Amino acid sequence: MATLDARTLPLDPTTTQTLAGSGFEYREVDVRSAEFSPFTRAIARGFLGEDLTDEQVESSRERVGGRRLTGVYDPHAADPATPVATVDSWVTALSLPGRRTVPMWAISGVTVSPTRRRRGIARAMVEGELRAAAGGGVAVAGLTVSEATIYSRFGFAPAAFSTDWTIDTRRARWTGPMPGGRLDAVDRERLRAELEALHDRTRASHPGDIEGWTGLWRRIAGLAPGYDERKVRGVLHTDDAGVVRGALAYSITQNDDDNAAATLTVLHLVSDGGDAYRALWRFALEHDLVATVTAPLRSVDEPLRWMIADQRAARVTTREHHWLRVLDVPAAIAARTYSAPAALAVGVSDHLGFAHGVWRLELHDEGNGTAQPIDAVADLTMSVNELAAILLGGVRASTLHTAGRIEGSRDAVATLDRAFASPDTPYLRIWY
Ligand SMILES: CC(C)(COP(=O)(O)OP(=O)(O)OC[C@H]1O[C@@H](n2cnc3c(N)ncnc32)[C@H](O)[C@@H]1OP(=O)(O)O)[C@@H](O)C(=O)NCCC(=O)NCCS
């Protein structure tokens, strides 16, 4: 898929005008310029981080190179070179049911200085991102969030969820099959390369996943400054044919009161096939001197549950993770495949206008769908948020119907449920 460079699209004139009306300047930041250091430091401050070292600034420069960086500046601020608000964005490939992808406008780094908060700056920036994305013909926008209360108002909804695990290893007891292949400890550079390659090879089978980037894998593999990098260790699984099928990045925290009760944290575990999955989890759960395994950001449907003797040895919490926003209904509907046929008129309300209207959906089993604007009474009505929630097949229309968020007959809802069901569980394996 040819990827659009988000930097080639102009800044949204409405946002420029709105912010200018409050005395702010809205402008793009060149990653190679001197403006980048205060820009990335403002993001660190916005997310409550420590001030960055020069080494961290350079690492961040490498990580976000190629993205569209936009800052809001206050010429009257004590330090006018530091933006009072930031956002960065780029176009990536979002995996969809049917092992298809659609271009997605990824939004990250949304911060507003605590000294300029609640004056509408974030609203102006986010709406500007959506208009820029729609203007560039990008069908969907996405983000991961610090708080679950911010983005619904812009038409986003959670479409993929994640789970965090804490496992008492002594109680859990491994009951999975003995996996084939071989495990090897590797250095962090090799770990990074394999995490990157495996993510890319497997992301099509996870609706909701997106492309990774080298700086992300450097951070996860412990190669980026400022992330406890020396604690990160890596193990690879290689199958009998000599192909690397899985990678585990982990760290261990010792327990000062009990040498045999350390905590192993699964920083990232990626597998291409069942053997690698089983081998890496067994490695973690049976690690000597470890009493607890924690694993953030796992799927809502982990086979791990079925490889331990006592499922209550695992505490699992679920959280919304990947928030999507539909900008172009026909393009989003045409991009994925469907599990059952459906022909329905769906009314979508969207106060920002992008997806608003009544749409005739013609969905074909094991094939694509079409959406065409029609002038008719809708069988079902929902807001653009619900459309985003069901897009990956991880949230059922019937659930939202019961919650009072989709209206229409039970039959129509059941038809939508069957069509939108996904054979692969939606799962975004990273933060962005
Ligand atoms: C979240 C943040 C970007 C909001 O910036 P802001 O300029 O104060 O937001 P705005 O004034 O544009 O607010 C827009 C709307 O969002 C609401 N809002 C803003 N921050 C919110 C929050 N943290 N929780 C819930 N609602 C929030 C506002 O009440 C306002 O609502 P309304 O216009 O519908 O009545 C800013 O507080 C921040 O930088 N926080 C720390 C970093 C962060 O969490 N970023 C988000 C990354 S996902």
Side-chain angles (χ1 to χ4, degrees), residues 116 174 253 279 303:
R116 300 291 188 283
W174 178 263
T253 307

Side-chain angles (χ1 to χ4, degrees), residues 1-344:
M1 181 190 302
T3 307
L4 173 72
D5 183 342
R7 294 170 300 178
T8 60
L9 297 173
L11 283 182
D12 177 59
T14 307
T15 294
T16 303
Q17 209 180 347
T18 304
L19 290 170
S22 304
F24 298 119
E25 198 188 321
Y26 178 56
R27 63 171 192 262
E28 263 190 70
V29 173
D30 184 338
V31 73
R32 294 158 305 185
S33 73
E35 287 195 318
F36 179 72
S37 175
F39 179 87
T40 197
R41 289 192 149 101
I43 294 182
R45 179 187 61 192
F47 286 110
L48 315 185
E50 293 175 354
D51 192 16
L52 303 180
T53 62
D54 290 346
E55 193 191 10
Q56 286 172 316
V57 169
E58 289 318 308
S59 168
S60 158
R61 196 191 300 275
E62 182 190 294
R63 192 170 64 246
V64 302
R67 293 190 190 174
R68 171 187 159 108
L69 314 176
T70 314
V72 177
Y73 292 84
D74 182 347
H76 302 294
D79 171 17
T82 295
V84 296
T86 60
V87 57
D88 77 71
S89 49
W90 67 102
V91 180
T92 185
L94 171 71
S95 302
L96 291 175
R99 308 208 166 176
R100 305 277 176 88
T101 60
V102 69
M104 186 195 86
W105 188 271
I107 300 173
S108 183
V110 177
T111 71
V112 173
S113 163
T115 60
R116 300 291 188 283
R117 67 194 282 278
R118 306 303 181 267
R119 298 183 195 180
I121 297 180
R123 174 180 287 283
M125 287 195 306
V126 173
E127 292 183 0
E129 290 294 318
L130 298 179
R131 283 189 291 267
V138 181
V140 179
L143 37 77
T144 55
V145 306
S146 57
E147 288 186 81
T149 46
I150 303 174
Y151 291 99
S152 301
R153 58 174 52 75
F154 303 114
F156 287 86
F161 291 70
S162 68
T163 52
D164 291 348
W165 292 61
T166 304
I167 308 164
D168 175 342
T169 59
R170 288 162 191 159
R171 189 174 161 190
R173 225 165 28 82
W174 178 263
T175 55
M178 291 303 135
R182 181 187 93 219
L183 291 177
D184 291 293
V186 289
D187 65 25
R188 293 195 285 272
E189 194 49 70
R190 176 82 194 278
L191 175 65
R192 180 209 57 77
E194 298 295 351
L195 288 171
E196 186 160 3
L198 281 158
H199 180 84
D200 216 42
R201 222 156 76 208
T202 54
R203 72 185 149 80
S205 57
H206 299 291
D209 223 336
I210 63 167
E211 293 166 279
W213 56 96
T214 300
L216 170 78
W217 305 117
R218 286 184 62 77
R219 183 169 62 66
I220 292 175
L223 291 165
Y227 289 98
D228 260 357
E229 54 269 24
R230 285 173 47 244
K231 288 188 82 168
V232 179
R233 299 198 177 274
V235 167
L236 301 182
H237 177 264
T238 305
D239 70 13
D240 294 336
V243 179
V244 174
R245 295 285 184 188
L248 166 66
Y250 69 100
S251 65
I252 294 189
T253 307
Q254 291 188 343
N255 181 337
D256 291 340
D257 297 327
D258 183 350
N259 283 343
T263 297
L264 185 153
T265 298
V266 173
L267 301 168
H268 203 80
L269 186 157
V270 55
S271 56
D272 177 12
D275 260 350
Y277 181 88
R278 294 186 282 270
L280 293 171
W281 275 113
R282 184 174 173 222
F283 170 86
L285 290 184
E286 294 198 335
H287 200 292
D288 285 331
L289 306 181
V290 165
T292 307
V293 169
T294 61
L297 209 57
R298 301 305 312 174
S299 168
V300 293
D301 188 22
E302 285 289 340
L304 171 62
R305 225 183 254 289
W306 303 97
M307 302 189 311
I308 52 179
D310 184 350
Q311 293 199 6
R312 292 190 189 180
R315 261 188 298 121
V316 186
T317 53
T318 306
R319 188 175 41 203
E320 49 32 83
H321 182 48
H322 203 182
W323 291 65
L324 299 182
R325 208 282 181 209
V326 176
L327 296 167
D328 181 332
V329 176
I333 292 297
R336 56 160 290 181
T337 62
Y338 295 89
S339 295
L344 290 166

